Amino acid sequence: MIDGFIGGLSILFSWPAIGLFLVGCVMGLIFGLLPGLQGGLALATLMPITFGMETNQAIPLLIGAWGASEGSATAILFNMPGEAENAATMLDGYPLAQQGRAGEALGAAGFSSLCGVMISIGIFMIILPIMRPIVLAFGPPEFCLLALLGLSAIAVISKGSLVKGLFIMFIGVALAFHGTNPITGGIRYTFGSLYLWEGVDLMPVLIGLFGLTECMNMLSHKSTVTRTTIRVAGGVLKGIMAVIRNWKLNVFCATLGTLCGTIPGVGGTVASWLAYSTGITIFGRGETFGNGNIKGVIAPESANNAKDGASLMPALILGIPGTVSTAILIAALIIHGIYPGRDLITNHLDLVFLVVQCLALSNIFSQSFTMFAGKLMARITLVRPHVVVPVIATTCLMGAFTIRNSILDVALAGFFCVFGYLLDKYDFPKIGILMGLILTPLAEESFHSSIQISEGSYSIFVTRPGSLVLVILILSVLFMPFILRSYRKLKRQWLQKSRSG
Amino acid sequence: MKGRTGYRLLMVVLLSIALISAAVTVSAVSAAGYPERAISIVVGSSPGGFYDIQGRLLAEYWPQYLPNKVPMVVRNISGGGGIRSANETWIAEPDGYSIIQIKTGAYLLAENQYPEQVKFKMKDWQYIGRYTQDVSVFLTRKDVADKIKTFQDLVEMAKKKPLLCSTGGVGSSMHTNGVIFAEETKIPVKYVHFPGSNEALTSLMRREVDFNILSISPAQKADPKELRILFIFNDDQNMFTSVAPTALKYGIPKNVLQAINNNPVFSAPRALAVAPKTPANIVKMLRDSFWKLMTSKETEAAFKKAGDFLDPLKGEEFEKLLPQMISDTNKFAKVLPKGN
């Protein structure tokens, strides 16, 4: 192990590997900042360039780009996530920017992301020898229940009317039912259109509902992002201190993100939403969210970066990619004749460590940039709307097009822009649509697979240990508030009786 | 004023002549100088997948055999199971700058089952050539493999309880392969569908299913301590000596194996084509350069390094096989279970 670790470092800090690594980091940073251009796309763009390179040069370039792609800055500053997994960060990050606390939000996002990836890499190193049973312990029943756990948290996350929150969530759920169901083979609600065959894509909805809607809001109110005086000085440091103060939340969400990353099929977007909903349920009791609570930034950012480190495990050891980015990474390795699996761990341990070290350093690079440039980036929130809106809107629309090279994605983003504007006007929580759209496919597909595995028996959801734990957790989330309230009421009545008696 | 008007008129006429000449010159250069700019290989799936890797390898090594040595790039157009990429290439300008990567079996099936969605006609593409086709394997867990050492053992096991096969979704290659296998061998099989081939493979490791049938490339990367390739659906033992026995050696009757392999949905030839009205000289140029690419040692080595292999066939010869492939696919489509 030590030889492999030193071997990895010696490869990384040799020339031209270190130069290529820095080039990759810069490219990843740019991709992460632009909506619609994600880390996976950076990998895909760079892959052909690596064909003629040595493996020791290709890996730093590719992992540098992947690890450095970071979409939290745009999520916080413009209500527009650079990547789908940063969507949860917007909910509290953008309100913080509107309150003039963009620096604090950026500092918290950067530092919690950094802690998240370090925690997951640490866990990766520790559980590497025993990783297999952990990965294989989670199957379709567990995925289904995890998704339901995330959906059940809508009650906690909805600000204002719960009925409105549920209504909007059901719209998201309904949207998720469009397209081909790979489990049953049914083609649903496509209205004869090939475009809808693969369902409503998340990114155009995100871009329209948040990025473009915010542009409309800025223009209609003739206001900057920040609606008040910004506190730049000490903002970033304040954000870092907030992460240290909330270290339990950080560690919990990083662990949850690591778990989600380890399990193929869960994905980063699900990880960040699960972390947001369960993290604030457990660590944010009695607090409001969605109005600029720093914990609402720490939770998802910690998880979505932790997921990156963890997703390497099934990818490198089992050859099973858990995310699009790791799928491209495996493809790049294969093209260079390196096959994931036992052989990689046995004969190329230095390459495994090289991947992990590149991921760690690229995260340090990008999060340091976010933290140190936070002060400068926070000032963007003061730029007048007639200057910033055209730039954001153009970037958003270009991002919507690049997802699938389809003009219909741009039209979809436009539709959701108008829809989002109306939702804001009548005070409906837009987050519900995202939760429904993200978690419903996982819940439905896993449910069907589970029933097929058990040949029709529903007991599969309670007879597996992992499933049983998740069922108990869901029931706790749903009923614990009522049980606690009833208990407190009874206790108060009993105390009053005993005092009067 | 008269002089000025005349001068302006003269400038307009001269400018028009210049523009028209430029346009004619450009188009003349375009027709004669193909290729003048980057050529796209259109791949109907997202980056990083199996087909994407193959497309990128072709794009890397092909340009050196083209006149002008223009670069080739991969354009990913995912959606509709690859149909969208084929539809868009079908209606694109037939100028030879868009080459579609054709998943023959899947597209033939789509043409049969979803005629309202499919804009192209498989028999009307101008085929550059076939570069490979699938060799599939029967993959199972080690503990299952120890109990079914011959085909007869497999038949006996299935008689007690239908075999559970994991797939990457209804209509996926794992599913269609399973259906073809069950149909030809008369072995009862039940399917467990997952939203992707990776999940299907993981379910095998989790002991939720008994087997799946997939392409040899991803199967070879599976952990040999957990999973085992029971046999290969190929009768050429020399090609895969170190991998596993052929289906014939395993005991599958020769006529059954032939019926399975002859099904284009199973063998999944991967071809390259351009739109129907592409000029004949451009098609010839692409075919000639493609064949040089296919017969080069460098290309073969690159595919082998990526765990894949070439099985090339010239475009003209591939076109002759199409009518039989269409007929076989239409017959198979009648037995493929429909989604609900």
Side-chain angles (χ1 to χ4, degrees), chain B residues 13 63 71 133-134 140 165 172 181 192 196 216 249 265 274 332 340:
Chain B
V13 168
Q133 49 185 357
D134 265 356
T140 185
C165 171
S172 65
F181 173 76
V192 179
I216 193 170
K249 272 206 167 170
V265 177
V274 287
F332 169 66
N340 51 55

Side-chain angles (χ1 to χ4, degrees), chain A residues 35 65 145 175 225 320 326 368 446 489:
Chain A
L145 291 166
L175 282 174
V225 171
I320 300 170
T326 46
S368 304
S446 310
K489 193 177 171 186

